[in-house]
Amino acid sequence: MTDLMRAAVLYAAGDVRVQDYPEPALTPGMVLVRVQRAGMCGSDLHYFHDGCCGAFVPTRPFVLGHELSGVVAAVAADVDGLAVGTRVAVNPARACDRCAYCRAGRRNLCRRTVMLGSASTRPPTDGGFAHLVAVRADQCHRLGDLDHAVGAMIEPLAVALHAVRRAGMPVAARVLITGGGPIGLLIAMTARALGAVQVVVSDPSPGRRETALARGVDDVDDPSDPNLPDLGGELPDGGFDVAFEASGAPAALRQLFDLVRPGGTIVQVGTLSTGDVLLPASQVMAREITLLGSFRYGDVFDDAIALVRSGRVDVASLVSRVFPLEDAAQALAAAADPGTAIKVQLQIASDPDA
Amino acid sequence: MTDLMRAAVLYAAGDVRVQDYPEPALTPGMVLVRVQRAGMCGSDLHYFHDGCCGAFVPTRPFVLGHELSGVVAAVAADVDGLAVGTRVAVNPARACDRCAYCRAGRRNLCRRTVMLGSASTRPPTDGGFAHLVAVRADQCHRLGDLDHAVGAMIEPLAVALHAVRRAGMPVAARVLITGGGPIGLLIAMTARALGAVQVVVSDPSPGRRETALARGVDDVDDPSDPNLPDLGGELPDGGFDVAFEASGAPAALRQLFDLVRPGGTIVQVGTLSTGDVLLPASQVMAREITLLGSFRYGDVFDDAIALVRSGRVDVASLVSRVFPLEDAAQALAAAADPGTAIKVQLQIASDPDA
Amino acid sequence: MTDLMRAAVLYAAGDVRVQDYPEPALTPGMVLVRVQRAGMCGSDLHYFHDGCCGAFVPTRPFVLGHELSGVVAAVAADVDGLAVGTRVAVNPARACDRCAYCRAGRRNLCRRTVMLGSASTRPPTDGGFAHLVAVRADQCHRLGDLDHAVGAMIEPLAVALHAVRRAGMPVAARVLITGGGPIGLLIAMTARALGAVQVVVSDPSPGRRETALARGVDDVDDPSDPNLPDLGGELPDGGFDVAFEASGAPAALRQLFDLVRPGGTIVQVGTLSTGDVLLPASQVMAREITLLGSFRYGDVFDDAIALVRSGRVDVASLVSRVFPLEDAAQALAAAADPGTAIKVQLQIASDPDA
Amino acid sequence: MTDLMRAAVLYAAGDVRVQDYPEPALTPGMVLVRVQRAGMCGSDLHYFHDGCCGAFVPTRPFVLGHELSGVVAAVAADVDGLAVGTRVAVNPARACDRCAYCRAGRRNLCRRTVMLGSASTRPPTDGGFAHLVAVRADQCHRLGDLDHAVGAMIEPLAVALHAVRRAGMPVAARVLITGGGPIGLLIAMTARALGAVQVVVSDPSPGRRETALARGVDDVDDPSDPNLPDLGGELPDGGFDVAFEASGAPAALRQLFDLVRPGGTIVQVGTLSTGDVLLPASQVMAREITLLGSFRYGDVFDDAIALVRSGRVDVASLVSRVFPLEDAAQALAAAADPGTAIKVQLQIASDPDA
């Protein structure tokens, strides 16, 4: 008979229930992780508010959560080199390892990826707003002495790090980020840690602009400021070297084409809420602009941990509120409030290192 | 008193006159080239039909022409290493050499570029539909034993070569080109010479599709074929590795987002006739597509000549009609006919190697 | 009771016996391939002549052979998408899929690789000079309509393709290859197919130089020619853009530093027979030369097959002699003769598509 | 009649005289810079101690010095956009702008470069241990509000920045630098500013190791420590990602091949005092190591200034001693003492912003 654990289960839009739920089974190649901290991401909010996340519609109730830090609790017999008790951040994406994309080192493009806490598979895959989660051994990345609040920030930092790496950011770059949410701020911090000499965040919310300044960005902008288009022209080469669109707003993406320099790069990281967007393709040609996308992350979890451990990036300062698992519904509501929240987390285990 | 030469001068839309015109002066750092062959490009046609080329409106009559091959006829006293009598292809773009773009090896982005046969400067800069043209010594690229018909194809080949180089084309790439005009065909030939294993040209004109097949592309497509979107899905990784948009049609650019594979690259080479274009930016993110522009050419003229001399690319087969300079207006009319013309050239000197 | 098959088994230096041998077992994730053709590589010759291959000393008799083409004969129950009867080239290297190198797309650097026909593991891993070989499903690459003589050339072509890809070969490159054996010739062919405008092979053997010319290289050189150092100076930028060392001779590697241009690249592909080599490190700095190594191959088998199928590379012309499996010892002797042999293969199955 | 200024002139080994010297002439395209601070580099020491710098033997007495900061004092009539009074760091290398290397953005490989304070030209080119120096306008890089002590550090920082850029340093890199002199320390600082997560300096001098620790490197090593080869093996991927050889010692370069990981990169920055060096070329192949050189700098002066102005790199802390111009000989002697000196500078103008 299966043991039961507590878990936050999505039943429908607005209906998340913290309840008893079957513990996951331990199958070959896998480990069980006892979750300590779990962060809330935009896709968790989409599932909570809309009952789905874009095209991903769940076919049965499932456990949310994919920003996870915890302790290895059980290890399948065929797993080497990962001991019970190891403190780990979890990569929630399990790629197939065998397709052309996996073989070429672009695992985030693998079409057979199984993602924790997501309805991208049928049936949906249970996530980690729960006491235990089952993952393949190589999804576990050693935290060393980092605490679990930081450990649960490694997944969003991996999103930021992948985006910055995709950008092929030049040395001494001038960087603009549209969107001052957690991903935008993490991109700003990462860009600075990787040598950007000017990092500017643009966001319509005064509160988010204040937060960005307090977290060390060089300057902030209001995208509705009519003088904004002049900004690029004042830079040494006529605009920003690299811009990251992390807001999901089509108007933000459109605006970036006027703000990057000739030969500059725009990286789309945010999930756009609409379909096609009007973009100045003639500028793409005449100014040799590059627009490229960044989706999740490749194999950057160990790098993200190393950046934090070496003190190059301070992610702890972005954790703004923590709720117990039993209050998951309140936590989801709080996470949706852009005014007060940066990153909301659930504290799941009662004993912080159990 | 200035000597006179014959030249094809644009006065207004539809009004090109072959007339006596002052020979260019020889100033420090410069050489005079006696033009032998000159090709007709889309921008020449824009000037001829519209009296302007997009935002470039001439402030006085000027000589058209920038696809030039000829013989060095005079050399300023301070020029070393380029002798009278040298047979050369001409790079019509003279960058400033000193700005950040020039110093970084991206001279095509130099904002102080002076372009032959163009109203991008004020006053416009005379081009090479004339017996003599003045260029800086480093704009001359030795042809060796190539003939001038081929020499006048080096400039459009440079456009194609720059685009293929910008694409960062992977080994054994599958490549789609929209637009079967001279630039599209040159990109197809160049991509094949650089190791593409499948090269497909898409063009609505049956005549152009036939021409493409006759010039060695692997396959052709009609963009209005409703089955076209299935094409990408049949390829090994779910689409083309690289696509080049060389038609200038917004619908062609839009279509390419459905035809490239995840992680694929789209290169905008054609001049788009309209402003903003509706593009699927959410695909850019979720499928990590790269859209980038290619503008003119960097320092690729010697490479283009080497590709032709080594037999890797056969550009001579694209020269479809030749007119004498005195018939420049008829030549411009013929060049505008997509049914019959690939590349139309003017034969300018009476003695082929004078 | 295990079924028996015929196989060429290495017992000691000079002692290869074609004998009955246990058929390999079919375990989860694996397939059995009925080998049709198998090529002989330098490492097979090392095992045959020396009883070992450098540091790889076999701990028991084992089956040689890793350049393999065949037909899928059996498929484990958990394998999808690969049917019995599929004609395939075999990638003899099975990486772990999980280490940092595998995850980053550099599987050839995986330290847990299991290599067919090699004593790099303990005990050694049986290879494919036999009627059947067991491989993981993703080691099989579909040949389409290519014949098996070509199929058994895909592995050495993958070595060449990986080397050319590692080189980051510029467009319109001038390329020098030292060593006119099979790998050197395959690099020459591949470099040409990828847009090199001048491909030169240097080899002390007049026979190999003749072979190279007959296979389409642009020029050949004798490395002992005292005028050779002048060669680079005659090239446009003062030397070759890229040089590949495919002979394993330390003197050849040393010579290349004088023959590449400033900023040029040298790729070490050949296995050097000795330890440290005297190299001009001060030139590395003052002329910004890059020396890099190329080891086996990453995920390039499908690309290699595509290059052959599209006609860009003709590998069939390099197969110079074919022996039946029963004459494996004579075949190994013949393969060691540089004067007459390019690539020697074994025909293993009696029915060419059984 | 030419005006005279004070300058430190090299006559022979050990013979530097501070004397009256003709002021440089102002020719077209050029400016005169009133030098404020000038740093002493290894090549100045070579000229001072040996009378030459490797193969560069002066044909007449000349002014040393090429690490220069100053104020624009005069501007030729044809120079735009650079006003008298502008505070600038000087790029001492003037490339030809026209050769293939200049056009491709690799100006440091231009063979017609004119270098201040160097006998690489015949006659030698006067440098900046003097009140005035003549340079082309584009050799001047605006300092903004940085002081001249920092301004004279921009040239060595450019050496470091170019080396780090050549390395193509991966994100979150682990970096080893051999040689704790000014260039080694600047590389360490720059690597850290560009996102390296572990920066280790190896130097046999205990004083230099202390200095490195005080300047913020993560760890130091003694290259003669017999346990050093174990160091790489303890790192996550089996060694350092990138190593910079900045000592000029052949043994240091040799050692790095055992300390970088498979697929790692070694950058030779230091000037090697001897000819050929024994290097493990077989490791280059089997472990896919890249060895590449870094020579001077490309167009990185503005980037270097931006890194300093943004606070990412603190170069002021490396200036250890300052002498007046009249004491240039003592300053050269002090600069040669590795125990006490990091960077020795000359204060040239009496008024710090004249």
mmCIF file with all atom_site columns, all heavy atoms in Angstrom, chain A residues 97-98 103 105 107 138 299 302, chain C residues 97-98 103 105 107 136 138 299 302:
data_model
loop_
_atom_site.group_PDB
_atom_site.id
_atom_site.type_symbol
_atom_site.label_atom_id
_atom_site.label_alt_id
_atom_site.label_comp_id
_atom_site.label_asym_id
_atom_site.label_entity_id
_atom_site.label_seq_id
_atom_site.pdbx_PDB_ins_code
_atom_site.Cartn_x
_atom_site.Cartn_y
_atom_site.Cartn_z
_atom_site.occupancy
_atom_site.B_iso_or_equiv
_atom_site.pdbx_formal_charge
_atom_site.auth_seq_id
_atom_site.auth_comp_id
_atom_site.auth_asym_id
_atom_site.auth_atom_id
_atom_site.pdbx_PDB_model_num
ATOM 1   N N   . ASP A 1 97  ? 17.942 12.420 -23.493 1.00 0.00 ? 97  ASP A N   1
ATOM 2   C CA  . ASP A 1 97  ? 19.371 12.076 -23.589 1.00 0.00 ? 97  ASP A CA  1
ATOM 3   C C   . ASP A 1 97  ? 19.774 11.492 -24.933 1.00 0.00 ? 97  ASP A C   1
ATOM 4   O O   . ASP A 1 97  ? 20.965 11.298 -25.181 1.00 0.00 ? 97  ASP A O   1
ATOM 5   C CB  . ASP A 1 97  ? 19.792 11.042 -22.534 1.00 0.00 ? 97  ASP A CB  1
ATOM 6   C CG  . ASP A 1 97  ? 20.005 11.657 -21.175 1.00 0.00 ? 97  ASP A CG  1
ATOM 7   O OD1 . ASP A 1 97  ? 19.996 12.895 -21.066 1.00 0.00 ? 97  ASP A OD1 1
ATOM 8   O OD2 . ASP A 1 97  ? 20.185 10.890 -20.223 1.00 0.00 ? 97  ASP A OD2 1
ATOM 9   N N   . ARG A 1 98  ? 18.833 11.158 -25.792 1.00 0.00 ? 98  ARG A N   1
ATOM 10  C CA  . ARG A 1 98  ? 19.186 10.374 -26.965 1.00 0.00 ? 98  ARG A CA  1
ATOM 11  C C   . ARG A 1 98  ? 18.883 11.041 -28.300 1.00 0.00 ? 98  ARG A C   1
ATOM 12  O O   . ARG A 1 98  ? 19.406 10.625 -29.323 1.00 0.00 ? 98  ARG A O   1
ATOM 13  C CB  . ARG A 1 98  ? 18.429 9.018  -26.934 1.00 0.00 ? 98  ARG A CB  1
ATOM 14  C CG  . ARG A 1 98  ? 18.748 8.168  -25.727 1.00 0.00 ? 98  ARG A CG  1
ATOM 15  C CD  . ARG A 1 98  ? 20.179 7.676  -25.772 1.00 0.00 ? 98  ARG A CD  1
ATOM 16  N NE  . ARG A 1 98  ? 20.614 7.188  -24.463 1.00 0.00 ? 98  ARG A NE  1
ATOM 17  C CZ  . ARG A 1 98  ? 20.276 6.005  -23.951 1.00 0.00 ? 98  ARG A CZ  1
ATOM 18  N NH1 . ARG A 1 98  ? 19.521 5.181  -24.638 1.00 0.00 ? 98  ARG A NH1 1
ATOM 19  N NH2 . ARG A 1 98  ? 20.719 5.661  -22.761 1.00 0.00 ? 98  ARG A NH2 1
ATOM 20  N N   . ARG A 1 103 ? 21.938 15.065 -27.916 1.00 0.00 ? 103 ARG A N   1
ATOM 21  C CA  . ARG A 1 103 ? 23.314 14.695 -28.264 1.00 0.00 ? 103 ARG A CA  1
ATOM 22  C C   . ARG A 1 103 ? 24.151 15.917 -28.593 1.00 0.00 ? 103 ARG A C   1
ATOM 23  O O   . ARG A 1 103 ? 25.366 15.918 -28.443 1.00 0.00 ? 103 ARG A O   1
ATOM 24  C CB  . ARG A 1 103 ? 23.317 13.718 -29.448 1.00 0.00 ? 103 ARG A CB  1
ATOM 25  C CG  . ARG A 1 103 ? 22.742 12.354 -29.061 1.00 0.00 ? 103 ARG A CG  1
ATOM 26  C CD  . ARG A 1 103 ? 23.087 11.274 -30.058 1.00 0.00 ? 103 ARG A CD  1
ATOM 27  N NE  . ARG A 1 103 ? 22.813 11.636 -31.419 1.00 0.00 ? 103 ARG A NE  1
ATOM 28  C CZ  . ARG A 1 103 ? 21.861 11.089 -32.184 1.00 0.00 ? 103 ARG A CZ  1
ATOM 29  N NH1 . ARG A 1 103 ? 21.091 10.125 -31.712 1.00 0.00 ? 103 ARG A NH1 1
ATOM 30  N NH2 . ARG A 1 103 ? 21.680 11.477 -33.413 1.00 0.00 ? 103 ARG A NH2 1
ATOM 31  N N   . GLY A 1 105 ? 23.935 18.807 -27.117 1.00 0.00 ? 105 GLY A N   1
ATOM 32  C CA  . GLY A 1 105 ? 24.071 19.722 -25.988 1.00 0.00 ? 105 GLY A CA  1
ATOM 33  C C   . GLY A 1 105 ? 22.985 20.778 -25.925 1.00 0.00 ? 105 GLY A C   1
ATOM 34  O O   . GLY A 1 105 ? 23.148 21.794 -25.260 1.00 0.00 ? 105 GLY A O   1
ATOM 35  N N   . ARG A 1 107 ? 19.665 20.291 -24.743 1.00 0.00 ? 107 ARG A N   1
ATOM 36  C CA  . ARG A 1 107 ? 18.633 19.467 -24.144 1.00 0.00 ? 107 ARG A CA  1
ATOM 37  C C   . ARG A 1 107 ? 17.335 20.218 -23.930 1.00 0.00 ? 107 ARG A C   1
ATOM 38  O O   . ARG A 1 107 ? 16.262 19.598 -23.849 1.00 0.00 ? 107 ARG A O   1
ATOM 39  C CB  . ARG A 1 107 ? 19.141 18.901 -22.818 1.00 0.00 ? 107 ARG A CB  1
ATOM 40  C CG  . ARG A 1 107 ? 20.257 17.905 -23.014 1.00 0.00 ? 107 ARG A CG  1
ATOM 41  C CD  . ARG A 1 107 ? 21.232 17.902 -21.848 1.00 0.00 ? 107 ARG A CD  1
ATOM 42  N NE  . ARG A 1 107 ? 20.643 17.456 -20.626 1.00 0.00 ? 107 ARG A NE  1
ATOM 43  C CZ  . ARG A 1 107 ? 20.857 16.263 -20.077 1.00 0.00 ? 107 ARG A CZ  1
ATOM 44  N NH1 . ARG A 1 107 ? 21.644 15.393 -20.682 1.00 0.00 ? 107 ARG A NH1 1
ATOM 45  N NH2 . ARG A 1 107 ? 20.295 15.936 -18.946 1.00 0.00 ? 107 ARG A NH2 1
ATOM 46  N N   . ASP A 1 138 ? 20.536 12.422 -12.257 1.00 0.00 ? 138 ASP A N   1
ATOM 47  C CA  . ASP A 1 138 ? 21.281 13.547 -12.817 1.00 0.00 ? 138 ASP A CA  1
ATOM 48  C C   . ASP A 1 138 ? 20.477 14.845 -12.806 1.00 0.00 ? 138 ASP A C   1
ATOM 49  O O   . ASP A 1 138 ? 20.995 15.880 -13.241 1.00 0.00 ? 138 ASP A O   1
ATOM 50  C CB  . ASP A 1 138 ? 21.765 13.217 -14.232 1.00 0.00 ? 138 ASP A CB  1
ATOM 51  C CG  . ASP A 1 138 ? 20.632 13.020 -15.203 1.00 0.00 ? 138 ASP A CG  1
ATOM 52  O OD1 . ASP A 1 138 ? 19.759 12.158 -14.942 1.00 0.00 ? 138 ASP A OD1 1
ATOM 53  O OD2 . ASP A 1 138 ? 20.580 13.739 -16.207 1.00 0.00 ? 138 ASP A OD2 1
ATOM 54  N N   . ASP A 1 299 ? 22.353 22.916 -19.716 1.00 0.00 ? 299 ASP A N   1
ATOM 55  C CA  . ASP A 1 299 ? 22.990 22.282 -18.560 1.00 0.00 ? 299 ASP A CA  1
ATOM 56  C C   . ASP A 1 299 ? 23.737 23.337 -17.734 1.00 0.00 ? 299 ASP A C   1
ATOM 57  O O   . ASP A 1 299 ? 24.965 23.366 -17.715 1.00 0.00 ? 299 ASP A O   1
ATOM 58  C CB  . ASP A 1 299 ? 23.951 21.212 -19.079 1.00 0.00 ? 299 ASP A CB  1
ATOM 59  C CG  . ASP A 1 299 ? 24.619 20.502 -17.936 1.00 0.00 ? 299 ASP A CG  1
ATOM 60  O OD1 . ASP A 1 299 ? 23.935 20.217 -16.952 1.00 0.00 ? 299 ASP A OD1 1
ATOM 61  O OD2 . ASP A 1 299 ? 25.840 20.261 -18.033 1.00 0.00 ? 299 ASP A OD2 1
ATOM 62  N N   . ASP A 1 302 ? 24.844 23.538 -12.391 1.00 0.00 ? 302 ASP A N   1
ATOM 63  C CA  . ASP A 1 302 ? 26.093 23.588 -11.613 1.00 0.00 ? 302 ASP A CA  1
ATOM 64  C C   . ASP A 1 302 ? 26.747 24.958 -11.744 1.00 0.00 ? 302 ASP A C   1
ATOM 65  O O   . ASP A 1 302 ? 27.325 25.477 -10.782 1.00 0.00 ? 302 ASP A O   1
ATOM 66  C CB  . ASP A 1 302 ? 27.055 22.488 -12.087 1.00 0.00 ? 302 ASP A CB  1
ATOM 67  C CG  . ASP A 1 302 ? 26.596 21.101 -11.652 1.00 0.00 ? 302 ASP A CG  1
ATOM 68  O OD1 . ASP A 1 302 ? 25.867 20.991 -10.649 1.00 0.00 ? 302 ASP A OD1 1
ATOM 69  O OD2 . ASP A 1 302 ? 26.959 20.130 -12.326 1.00 0.00 ? 302 ASP A OD2 1
ATOM 70  N N   . ASP C 1 97  ? 26.114 9.563  -21.416 1.00 0.00 ? 97  ASP C N   1
ATOM 71  C CA  . ASP C 1 97  ? 24.919 10.423 -21.563 1.00 0.00 ? 97  ASP C CA  1
ATOM 72  C C   . ASP C 1 97  ? 24.663 11.324 -20.363 1.00 0.00 ? 97  ASP C C   1
ATOM 73  O O   . ASP C 1 97  ? 23.777 12.174 -20.423 1.00 0.00 ? 97  ASP C O   1
ATOM 74  C CB  . ASP C 1 97  ? 23.629 9.604  -21.745 1.00 0.00 ? 97  ASP C CB  1
ATOM 75  C CG  . ASP C 1 97  ? 23.466 9.116  -23.151 1.00 0.00 ? 97  ASP C CG  1
ATOM 76  O OD1 . ASP C 1 97  ? 24.246 9.526  -24.022 1.00 0.00 ? 97  ASP C OD1 1
ATOM 77  O OD2 . ASP C 1 97  ? 22.554 8.325  -23.382 1.00 0.00 ? 97  ASP C OD2 1
ATOM 78  N N   . ARG C 1 98  ? 25.348 11.157 -19.263 1.00 0.00 ? 98  ARG C N   1
ATOM 79  C CA  . ARG C 1 98  ? 24.960 11.820 -18.032 1.00 0.00 ? 98  ARG C CA  1
ATOM 80  C C   . ARG C 1 98  ? 26.005 12.769 -17.449 1.00 0.00 ? 98  ARG C C   1
ATOM 81  O O   . ARG C 1 98  ? 25.675 13.621 -16.635 1.00 0.00 ? 98  ARG C O   1
ATOM 82  C CB  . ARG C 1 98  ? 24.607 10.770 -16.962 1.00 0.00 ? 98  ARG C CB  1
ATOM 83  C CG  . ARG C 1 98  ? 23.467 9.871  -17.346 1.00 0.00 ? 98  ARG C CG  1
ATOM 84  C CD  . ARG C 1 98  ? 22.147 10.628 -17.384 1.00 0.00 ? 98  ARG C CD  1
ATOM 85  N NE  . ARG C 1 98  ? 21.140 9.887  -18.136 1.00 0.00 ? 98  ARG C NE  1
ATOM 86  C CZ  . ARG C 1 98  ? 20.448 8.848  -17.657 1.00 0.00 ? 98  ARG C CZ  1
ATOM 87  N NH1 . ARG C 1 98  ? 20.649 8.452  -16.427 1.00 0.00 ? 98  ARG C NH1 1
ATOM 88  N NH2 . ARG C 1 98  ? 19.557 8.237  -18.416 1.00 0.00 ? 98  ARG C NH2 1
ATOM 89  N N   . ARG C 1 103 ? 26.366 16.090 -21.251 1.00 0.00 ? 103 ARG C N   1
ATOM 90  C CA  . ARG C 1 103 ? 25.277 17.063 -21.190 1.00 0.00 ? 103 ARG C CA  1
ATOM 91  C C   . ARG C 1 103 ? 25.592 18.317 -22.000 1.00 0.00 ? 103 ARG C C   1
ATOM 92  O O   . ARG C 1 103 ? 24.698 19.012 -22.471 1.00 0.00 ? 103 ARG C O   1
ATOM 93  C CB  . ARG C 1 103 ? 24.998 17.449 -19.730 1.00 0.00 ? 103 ARG C CB  1
ATOM 94  C CG  . ARG C 1 103 ? 24.421 16.277 -18.933 1.00 0.00 ? 103 ARG C CG  1
ATOM 95  C CD  . ARG C 1 103 ? 23.752 16.724 -17.645 1.00 0.00 ? 103 ARG C CD  1
ATOM 96  N NE  . ARG C 1 103 ? 24.585 17.567 -16.839 1.00 0.00 ? 103 ARG C NE  1
ATOM 97  C CZ  . ARG C 1 103 ? 25.130 17.220 -15.660 1.00 0.00 ? 103 ARG C CZ  1
ATOM 98  N NH1 . ARG C 1 103 ? 24.921 16.012 -15.165 1.00 0.00 ? 103 ARG C NH1 1
ATOM 99  N NH2 . ARG C 1 103 ? 25.859 18.056 -14.989 1.00 0.00 ? 103 ARG C NH2 1
ATOM 100 N N   . GLY C 1 105 ? 27.167 18.352 -24.833 1.00 0.00 ? 105 GLY C N   1
ATOM 101 C CA  . GLY C 1 105 ? 27.321 18.077 -26.254 1.00 0.00 ? 105 GLY C CA  1
ATOM 102 C C   . GLY C 1 105 ? 28.754 17.764 -26.658 1.00 0.00 ? 105 GLY C C   1
ATOM 103 O O   . GLY C 1 105 ? 29.089 17.856 -27.828 1.00 0.00 ? 105 GLY C O   1
ATOM 104 N N   . ARG C 1 107 ? 30.402 14.645 -26.154 1.00 0.00 ? 107 ARG C N   1
ATOM 105 C CA  . ARG C 1 107 ? 30.411 13.253 -25.728 1.00 0.00 ? 107 ARG C CA  1
ATOM 106 C C   . ARG C 1 107 ? 31.736 12.562 -25.985 1.00 0.00 ? 107 ARG C C   1
ATOM 107 O O   . ARG C 1 107 ? 32.054 11.567 -25.330 1.00 0.00 ? 107 ARG C O   1
ATOM 108 C CB  . ARG C 1 107 ? 29.291 12.500 -26.454 1.00 0.00 ? 107 ARG C CB  1
ATOM 109 C CG  . ARG C 1 107 ? 27.915 12.955 -26.011 1.00 0.00 ? 107 ARG C CG  1
ATOM 110 C CD  . ARG C 1 107 ? 26.893 12.823 -27.129 1.00 0.00 ? 107 ARG C CD  1
ATOM 111 N NE  . ARG C 1 107 ? 26.634 11.470 -27.497 1.00 0.00 ? 107 ARG C NE  1
ATOM 112 C CZ  . ARG C 1 107 ? 25.557 10.779 -27.149 1.00 0.00 ? 107 ARG C CZ  1
ATOM 113 N NH1 . ARG C 1 107 ? 24.640 11.338 -26.400 1.00 0.00 ? 107 ARG C NH1 1
ATOM 114 N NH2 . ARG C 1 107 ? 25.377 9.543  -27.545 1.00 0.00 ? 107 ARG C NH2 1
ATOM 115 N N   . ARG C 1 136 ? 24.064 0.012  -28.428 1.00 0.00 ? 136 ARG C N   1
ATOM 116 C CA  . ARG C 1 136 ? 22.867 0.693  -27.980 1.00 0.00 ? 136 ARG C CA  1
ATOM 117 C C   . ARG C 1 136 ? 22.155 1.241  -29.215 1.00 0.00 ? 136 ARG C C   1
ATOM 118 O O   . ARG C 1 136 ? 22.799 1.595  -30.217 1.00 0.00 ? 136 ARG C O   1
ATOM 119 C CB  . ARG C 1 136 ? 23.244 1.835  -27.028 1.00 0.00 ? 136 ARG C CB  1
ATOM 120 C CG  . ARG C 1 136 ? 22.172 2.136  -25.999 1.00 0.00 ? 136 ARG C CG  1
ATOM 121 C CD  . ARG C 1 136 ? 22.693 3.074  -24.919 1.00 0.00 ? 136 ARG C CD  1
ATOM 122 N NE  . ARG C 1 136 ? 23.209 4.290  -25.503 1.00 0.00 ? 136 ARG C NE  1
ATOM 123 C CZ  . ARG C 1 136 ? 23.976 5.171  -24.848 1.00 0.00 ? 136 ARG C CZ  1
ATOM 124 N NH1 . ARG C 1 136 ? 24.307 4.958  -23.603 1.00 0.00 ? 136 ARG C NH1 1
ATOM 125 N NH2 . ARG C 1 136 ? 24.406 6.244  -25.460 1.00 0.00 ? 136 ARG C NH2 1
ATOM 126 N N   . ASP C 1 138 ? 20.915 4.002  -30.089 1.00 0.00 ? 138 ASP C N   1
ATOM 127 C CA  . ASP C 1 138 ? 21.285 5.307  -30.647 1.00 0.00 ? 138 ASP C CA  1
ATOM 128 C C   . ASP C 1 138 ? 22.686 5.298  -31.260 1.00 0.00 ? 138 ASP C C   1
ATOM 129 O O   . ASP C 1 138 ? 23.123 6.326  -31.785 1.00 0.00 ? 138 ASP C O   1
ATOM 130 C CB  . ASP C 1 138 ? 21.168 6.403  -29.583 1.00 0.00 ? 138 ASP C CB  1
ATOM 131 C CG  . ASP C 1 138 ? 22.140 6.210  -28.443 1.00 0.00 ? 138 ASP C CG  1
ATOM 132 O OD1 . ASP C 1 138 ? 22.096 5.137  -27.803 1.00 0.00 ? 138 ASP C OD1 1
ATOM 133 O OD2 . ASP C 1 138 ? 22.969 7.096  -28.200 1.00 0.00 ? 138 ASP C OD2 1
ATOM 134 N N   . ASP C 1 299 ? 28.712 14.193 -32.217 1.00 0.00 ? 299 ASP C N   1
ATOM 135 C CA  . ASP C 1 299 ? 27.514 13.610 -32.811 1.00 0.00 ? 299 ASP C CA  1
ATOM 136 C C   . ASP C 1 299 ? 27.424 13.973 -34.286 1.00 0.00 ? 299 ASP C C   1
ATOM 137 O O   . ASP C 1 299 ? 26.595 14.779 -34.691 1.00 0.00 ? 299 ASP C O   1
ATOM 138 C CB  . ASP C 1 299 ? 26.296 14.139 -32.055 1.00 0.00 ? 299 ASP C CB  1
ATOM 139 C CG  . ASP C 1 299 ? 25.022 13.547 -32.582 1.00 0.00 ? 299 ASP C CG  1
ATOM 140 O OD1 . ASP C 1 299 ? 25.011 12.337 -32.860 1.00 0.00 ? 299 ASP C OD1 1
ATOM 141 O OD2 . ASP C 1 299 ? 24.045 14.295 -32.739 1.00 0.00 ? 299 ASP C OD2 1
ATOM 142 N N   . ASP C 1 302 ? 25.184 11.319 -38.494 1.00 0.00 ? 302 ASP C N   1
ATOM 143 C CA  . ASP C 1 302 ? 24.113 11.647 -39.442 1.00 0.00 ? 302 ASP C CA  1
ATOM 144 C C   . ASP C 1 302 ? 24.572 12.713 -40.434 1.00 0.00 ? 302 ASP C C   1
ATOM 145 O O   . ASP C 1 302 ? 24.214 12.663 -41.618 1.00 0.00 ? 302 ASP C O   1
ATOM 146 C CB  . ASP C 1 302 ? 22.865 12.137 -38.684 1.00 0.00 ? 302 ASP C CB  1
ATOM 147 C CG  . ASP C 1 302 ? 22.152 11.000 -37.960 1.00 0.00 ? 302 ASP C CG  1
ATOM 148 O OD1 . ASP C 1 302 ? 22.296 9.832  -38.371 1.00 0.00 ? 302 ASP C OD1 1
ATOM 149 O OD2 . ASP C 1 302 ? 21.452 11.280 -36.969 1.00 0.00 ? 302 ASP C OD2 1
#
